[in-house]
Structure formats: structure tokens, C-alpha cells
């Protein structure tokens, strides 16, 4: 990966040297000049990811440098360096497009923090641009799989609302594909080349939600050594998707309502409001209308969000889509894993159709993924199908720590299932000869035997 390129423009040699000594050891490609005019000449010859410019310089001030760079190279991030008494000018610079400002004297840690955050924003924008065309193709309506009448109704509603700026509320159980539908709406809308930003209301801790959403100004709280843009500002001109919005507390709900109504917000610790243009899509696996009656969700916000509701059916109510979905996931994971599994046996399909799928489409996808991993031939059979029938599929975590533990537990169980089935399948293919089986799968005999011991695997009696 190329080193991030940074240009430092400052008439003080000590500042230039300080930037070089701090940034170069951290992997940045740093070039320094001592005047604004010289800096613009350098930028004309080579591209930079970031420019740090002093505000007060004799030949051309930092505001003029900022305007020229943003006019000619809008993708280049700018950080202004300000001395005592010029903080007001630094704030003005941010209005002209500067990412942030640094006050002299600044520490190496302060410099590294603001530089890394500015480049993080740049990467975020670049990733959105680079993935836009791919995403537009990936989230075409025909790539949401389903032929049932329930899904045909969903397709029709997506096609109706996508070209508009209408707020959409997606209702459905966990695993029904709410984020997939949100992306389909975005990437089939006039905003398709702008950011699609996800706010996972179920995993962001309550105490951090407002700073994540609204961003914060330098000095807003202990540890806020540099300003940071929030998810709302990053989503400007695009779409912001609030997943599991029922988890927002009432205070944040009130602020979100104002944002939807006024199209503006104020960063934490900020004095001025920021105007934004975002489309809002929300999703919930809870009944928000019932929550309004209980007093845990604002009624006025619910009515704002519920302008165009789309209900996503659980998989158990559209079982005729299971064969098509299964084939879709089979093809996807064969491509990802480089496997040549060609089809699902009639017996295996019967097993899939008879299952209740409490985890919905997500659980079916994971099941096919594991089956492709376990299958050593070309046909998925019933013995390749394993279902994680844990209460965790429906028992929703209440905190981010509980979520982390639940995910860790599920990953562990899934890995154990795959390892155990992998060893048994290899032994069966090789008549339970451990030496041949370990060689067949490309493992050391000692490691293979260790897994047998771990899962207490002994030869099956026919």
C-alpha cells in the first residue's frame, strides 16, 4: 500500500521539522515548503492526500491556500495550523472546507491524531466512490432473491419508494434482510453515488451515541483533543440507515426528530448548527407502535419515520423461496471458497424446507455456508446441514458487551461443528485410517489426532 502523502506549508522551520520528525516514523511520506506560493507549485506537480498549512504567512495566508487547494484538488484534505489569537480564523477556515485545525504549540500526539482522523475521512469517501458502481450492481432489485407473493410485494414497494426522498421504516424479525433492502432503496435512488452510512443502534453504547451521530468539537469533553465529524455529516447528500432504531433512548430520539424536521444539528460542544441533506431509512425488529403506547418510543418520531413502512416477511412464511435462496447462497460460497459443489440433494432440500428458521434468511445463509465448507464432494447432503438452534437467535443482547459475548459464543460453536464434521468426514472417506485421513486433508497426523481427541471421536460402529 502506498504511503499517505502529506505536504506541510509553514514559514517556521521548527514547525516543519517537528512535522517531519513526528509523521515520517509513522509511515507518512512528508514534504515541506516554507510559503503558500511554493506549496501550490508543488501541488500542481504531484498529488497529496493531506495538506497542513499555517494561517499566517508573509506571501499568501492559509485561507487563500485552502481556497486554491479546494478549488483545484477538492479531494485533498486540509488541516490549518494556527497560533495564539487566530483561532477565530481557524474556525472560519473550517467553513471553507478545512478538516480541522491545530493550535501552536502542538504535541506529536495531537498532530498524529488529527492527521489520522483526516485521512480516515478521506478513505471513507474514497471507499464510497470506489464501491458505488459495484454496489449499484449488487443491490439491483433482481439481486434480492424471492419469488413468493410476499417478496413480490416488497419488490414493488422498493421500486415505488427508491426514486423519492421519502423516509422509510423497515419492519421485520432479525435476519430478514432489512439492511439489504435499505441498500437496495439507496442504490436505486438518485443518491446512489453518495454515501450509505449505517448506524447500528443496538451495538453503539448509549453514552457514545450522540458523539458518534453528531460528532464533536475539540475540547468538548475529556479526551476530545481534535474535532471529529459524526455519522450524520458523513452521510450528507446520501442516506443514513438507523438499524434497530428502537434501541435509541428518548433523549436521542428527540434530537433525531429535530434533525429530520429542521435538516440541521449541532455537534457535541459546538455553537453553530450544521445543515445537512440526508435521506433517513430506519429498521426495527420491535413493534414501534407498541413501544409508543408503552412510552419507550416517541409518538411524534414514530409518525415521522412511519411514512412509508415496508414489512419484511419471516422465512417461515415464504418457504417457497427456500430452494431459490439456497441455490443462490450455494453459488456465492462456492465462488468465495473455490469449491465445486454443484447441487443440493432432494433429501437435503427436504430438510431445509421442513425447518422453521428462527434466524430467518441470515440463518439459512450461514447453514449453506457451513454446508459448502463441510461438503467434500459435489452434492450437499442432509449430514452437511447443521442448525445453530440456540436461544441466542431470538434472545436479543441488551448491551454491547452481551452482544460481543454472544457473537463469540456463536463463532465458537460454529467452528466446533465444522471441525468435528471435517474430521469425521475425512475418516469415513479413508476407512477410519488416521494416517491416510490426515494426509488426505493436508494436516500433520499429530494435529489431526489432537482434534479427534478434542471432540472424543472414535470409529463408528456400523
Amino acid at each position: 500500500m502506498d504511503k499517505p502523502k502529506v505536504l506541510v506549508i509553514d514559514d517556521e522551520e521548527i514547525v516543519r521539522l517537528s512535522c517531519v520528525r513526528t509523521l515520517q516514523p509513522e509511515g507518512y511520506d512528508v514534504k515541506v515548503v516554507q510559503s503558500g506560493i511554493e506549496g501550490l507549485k508543488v501541488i500542481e506537480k504531484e498529488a497529496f492526500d493531506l495538506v497542513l498549512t499555517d494561517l499566517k504567512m508573509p506571501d499568501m495566508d492559509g485561507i487563500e491556500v485552502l481556497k486554491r487547494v479546494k478549488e483545484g484538488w477538492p479531494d485533498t484534505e486540509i488541516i490549518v495550523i494556527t497560533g495564539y489569537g487566530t483561532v477565530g480564523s481557524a474556525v472560519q477556515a473550517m467553513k471553507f472546507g478545512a478538516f480541522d485545525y491545530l493550535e501552536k504549540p502542538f504535541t506529536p500526539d495531537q498532530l498524529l491524531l488529527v492527521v489520522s482522523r483526516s485521512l480516515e475521512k478521506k478513505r471513507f469517501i474514497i471507499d464510497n466512490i470506489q464501491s458505488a458502481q459495484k454496489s449499484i450492481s449488487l443491490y439491483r432489485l433482481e439481486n434480492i432473491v424471492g419469488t413468493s407473493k410476499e417478496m413480490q410485494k416488497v419488490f414493488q414497494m422498493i421500486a415505488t419508494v427508491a426514486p423519492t426522498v421519502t423516509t422509510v421504516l423497515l419492519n421485520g424479525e432479525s435476519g430478514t434482510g432489512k439492511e439489504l433492502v435499505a441498500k437496495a432503496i439507496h442504490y436505486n435512488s438518485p443518491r446512489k453515488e453518495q454515501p450509505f452510512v449505517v448506524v447500528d443502534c443496538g451495538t453503539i453504547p448509549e453514552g457514545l451515541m450522540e458523539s458518534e451521530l453528531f460528532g464533536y468539537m475539540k475540547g468538548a469533553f475529556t479526551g476530545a483533543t481534535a474535532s471529529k465529524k459524526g455519522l450524520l455529516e458523513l452521510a450528507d447528500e446520501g442516506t443514513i440507515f438507523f438499524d434497530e432504531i428502537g434501541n435509541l433512548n428518548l433523549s436521542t430520539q428527540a434530537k433525531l426528530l429535530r434533525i429530520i424536521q429542521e435538516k440541521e444539528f449541532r455537534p457535541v460542544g459546538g455553537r453553530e448548527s450544521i445543515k445537512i441533506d440526508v435521506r433517513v431509512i430506519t429498521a426495527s425488529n420491535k413493534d414501534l407502535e407498541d413501544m409508543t403506547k408503552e412510552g419507550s418510543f416517541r409518538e411524534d418520531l414514530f409518525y415521522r419515520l412511519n411514512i412509508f413502512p415496508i414489512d419484511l416477511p419471516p422465512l417461515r412464511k415464504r418457504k417457497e423461496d427456500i430452494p431459490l435462496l439456497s441455490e443462490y447462497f450455494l453459488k456465492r460460497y462456492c465462488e468465495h471458497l473455490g469449491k465445486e459443489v454443484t447441487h443440493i440433494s432432494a433429501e437435503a432440500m427436504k430438510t431445509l424446507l421442513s425447518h422453521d428458521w428462527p434466524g430467518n434468511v441470515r440463518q439459512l445463509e450461514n447453514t449453506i455456508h457451513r454446508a459448502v465448507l463441510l461438503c467434500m464432494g459435489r452434492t450437499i447432503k442432509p449430514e452437511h446441514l447443521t442448525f445453530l438452534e440456540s436461544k441466542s437467535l431470538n434472545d436479543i443482547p441488551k448491551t454491547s458487551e452481551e452482544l460481543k459475548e454472544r457473537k463469540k459464543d456463536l463463532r465458537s460453536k460454529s467452528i466446533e461443528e465444522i471441525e468435528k464434521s471435517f474430521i469425521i468426514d475425512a475418516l469415513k472417506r479413508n476407512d477410519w485410517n488416521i494416517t491416510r485421513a490426515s494426509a488426505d486433508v493436508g494436516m500433520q497426523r499429530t494435529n489431526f489426532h489432537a482434534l479427534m481427541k478434542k471432540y472424543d471421536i472414535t470409529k463408528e460402529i456400523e
Side-chain angles (χ1 to χ4, degrees):
M1 181 183 291
D2 293 337
K3 294 181 178 180
K5 297 186 66 175
V6 180
L7 176 64
V8 179
I9 306 173
D10 199 295
D11 58 339
E12 294 184 52
E13 183 178 11
I14 189 170
V15 174
R16 298 196 300 271
L17 289 174
S18 176
C19 289
V20 171
R21 289 170 180 167
T22 301
L23 297 174
Q24 276 189 346
E26 298 297 323
Y28 295 98
D29 182 358
V30 185
K31 181 167 286 190
V32 298
V33 295
Q34 59 185 354
S35 73
I37 292 174
E38 189 180 355
L40 291 175
K41 288 179 180 178
V42 171
I43 294 174
E44 287 175 355
K45 295 178 181 178
E46 57 183 304
F48 288 88
D49 298 294
L50 172 66
V51 172
L52 288 98
T53 180
D54 192 11
L55 274 179
K56 296 294 182 182
M57 294 181 291
D59 63 337
M60 179 186 292
D61 66 19
I63 295 292
E64 185 62 24
V65 172
L66 167 63
K67 290 179 180 178
R68 297 270 194 97
V69 172
K70 280 299 178 183
E71 182 180 347
W73 303 271
D75 293 336
T76 300
E77 290 297 331
I78 310 283
I79 295 170
V80 294
I81 302 171
T82 176
Y84 177 76
T86 59
V87 173
S89 298
V91 173
Q92 185 70 16
M94 293 180 69
K95 293 180 181 179
F96 286 118
F99 174 79
D100 206 344
Y101 65 92
L102 272 170
E103 285 185 76
K104 298 177 184 179
F106 50 82
T107 66
D109 285 345
Q110 288 173 328
L111 174 62
L112 286 170
L113 182 62
V114 72
V115 166
S116 66
R117 283 181 171 167
S118 69
L119 293 175
E120 179 184 344
K121 177 206 170 190
K122 181 179 176 68
R123 281 192 295 270
F124 178 88
I125 294 171
I126 290 172
D127 287 345
N128 270 281
I129 292 172
Q130 290 179 340
S131 65
Q133 289 306 119
K134 180 180 177 181
S135 297
I136 290 165
S137 173
L138 180 62
Y139 297 106
R140 292 196 307 261
L141 296 190
E142 57 264 35
N143 284 322
I144 301 179
V145 179
T147 57
S148 62
K149 63 180 182 181
E150 291 86 358
M151 285 307 296
Q152 291 304 309
K153 182 180 177 182
V154 170
F155 295 150
Q156 185 178 18
M157 297 184 80
I158 292 172
T160 299
V161 78
T164 73
V165 294
T166 302
T167 301
V168 179
L169 172 61
L170 304 174
N171 298 300
E173 297 175 7
S174 294
T176 49
K178 296 187 288 293
E179 185 171 340
L180 185 66
V181 170
K183 288 179 176 177
I185 293 170
H186 172 75
Y187 289 112
N188 286 276
S189 78
R191 297 171 180 253
K192 60 189 177 185
E193 295 185 2
Q194 301 303 322
F196 176 87
V197 176
V198 179
V199 182
D200 191 340
C201 303
T203 59
I204 299 176
E206 186 174 305
L208 297 178
M209 179 59 77
E210 291 192 10
S211 61
E212 285 292 311
L213 271 182
F214 310 134
Y216 52 82
M217 301 302 292
K218 181 178 179 180
F221 49 82
T222 302
T225 56
S227 300
K228 180 183 177 182
K229 294 188 178 183
L231 296 174
L232 279 162
E233 193 169 358
L234 291 173
D236 192 27
E237 297 186 1
T239 300
I240 190 162
F241 172 55
F242 291 87
D243 196 13
E244 305 308 347
I245 195 167
N247 290 301
L248 283 185
N249 63 38
L250 290 169
S251 171
T252 308
Q253 289 176 32
K255 293 178 180 178
L256 178 58
L257 175 64
R258 184 179 183 279
I259 291 165
I260 295 173
Q261 290 174 330
E262 306 297 331
K263 302 292 184 183
E264 65 179 24
F265 69 96
R266 186 178 298 173
V268 176
R271 296 181 179 180
E272 296 184 8
S273 294
I274 297 174
K275 290 281 186 182
I276 54 166
D277 171 23
V278 295
R279 180 183 197 164
V280 176
I281 301 177
T282 58
S284 178
N285 61 3
K286 303 174 183 177
D287 190 321
L288 295 184
E289 190 167 11
D290 284 348
M291 291 180 68
T292 63
K293 295 173 184 176
E294 297 166 0
S296 57
F297 200 85
R298 291 181 64 103
E299 187 176 28
D300 47 6
L301 178 59
F302 171 68
Y303 289 128
R304 278 281 181 177
L305 302 180
N306 199 42
I307 295 172
F308 196 93
I310 299 178
D311 297 323
L312 302 184
L315 189 54
R316 63 182 174 275
K317 291 188 178 179
R318 57 176 185 115
K319 285 195 171 184
E320 61 266 46
D321 287 336
I322 289 176
L324 189 63
L325 282 163
S326 300
E327 293 294 337
Y328 176 80
F329 294 134
L330 174 65
K331 181 179 179 183
R332 174 195 287 182
Y333 287 109
C334 281
E335 290 175 354
H336 286 184
L337 300 169
K339 304 271 289 200
E340 295 184 356
V341 184
T342 56
H343 65 285
I344 301 170
S345 73
E347 295 81 7
M349 185 58 70
K350 184 177 180 181
T351 301
L352 293 172
L353 287 167
S354 64
H355 196 64
D356 281 338
W357 301 107
N360 293 296
V361 177
R362 186 184 298 132
Q363 186 188 6
L364 173 62
E365 179 178 0
N366 292 339
T367 298
I368 299 299
H369 187 177
R370 288 194 299 274
V372 171
L373 279 169
L374 294 171
C375 182
M376 297 303 169
R378 290 181 174 271
T379 304
I380 288 178
K381 300 175 182 178
E383 56 263 33
H384 299 131
L385 301 175
T386 56
F387 306 103
L388 291 179
E389 297 298 27
S390 166
K391 67 176 183 177
S392 58
L393 289 169
N394 290 317
D395 183 16
I396 301 168
K398 300 297 188 295
T399 67
S400 62
E401 286 304 314
E402 286 182 13
L403 177 65
K404 289 177 185 175
E405 287 300 315
R406 189 70 48 77
K407 289 166 72 175
K408 182 179 178 182
D409 181 54
L410 285 174
R411 278 195 296 268
S412 176
K413 287 180 180 177
S414 181
I415 290 168
E416 288 175 359
E417 280 184 357
I418 292 170
E419 283 184 336
K420 186 175 181 180
S421 299
F422 170 76
I423 295 297
I424 292 172
D425 191 70
L427 288 165
K428 283 182 177 180
R429 291 198 316 273
N430 291 279
D431 298 322
W432 290 84
N433 183 299
I434 298 174
T435 300
R436 289 207 310 267
S438 60
D440 183 27
V441 298
M443 288 181 68
Q444 294 287 338
R445 190 183 189 282
T446 52
N447 295 338
F448 190 92
H449 190 266
L451 285 177
M452 288 182 63
K453 187 176 180 181
K454 175 181 178 181
Y455 297 114
D456 194 25
I457 297 172
T458 55
K459 183 175 180 179
E460 297 177 343
I461 299 174
E462 300 293 341

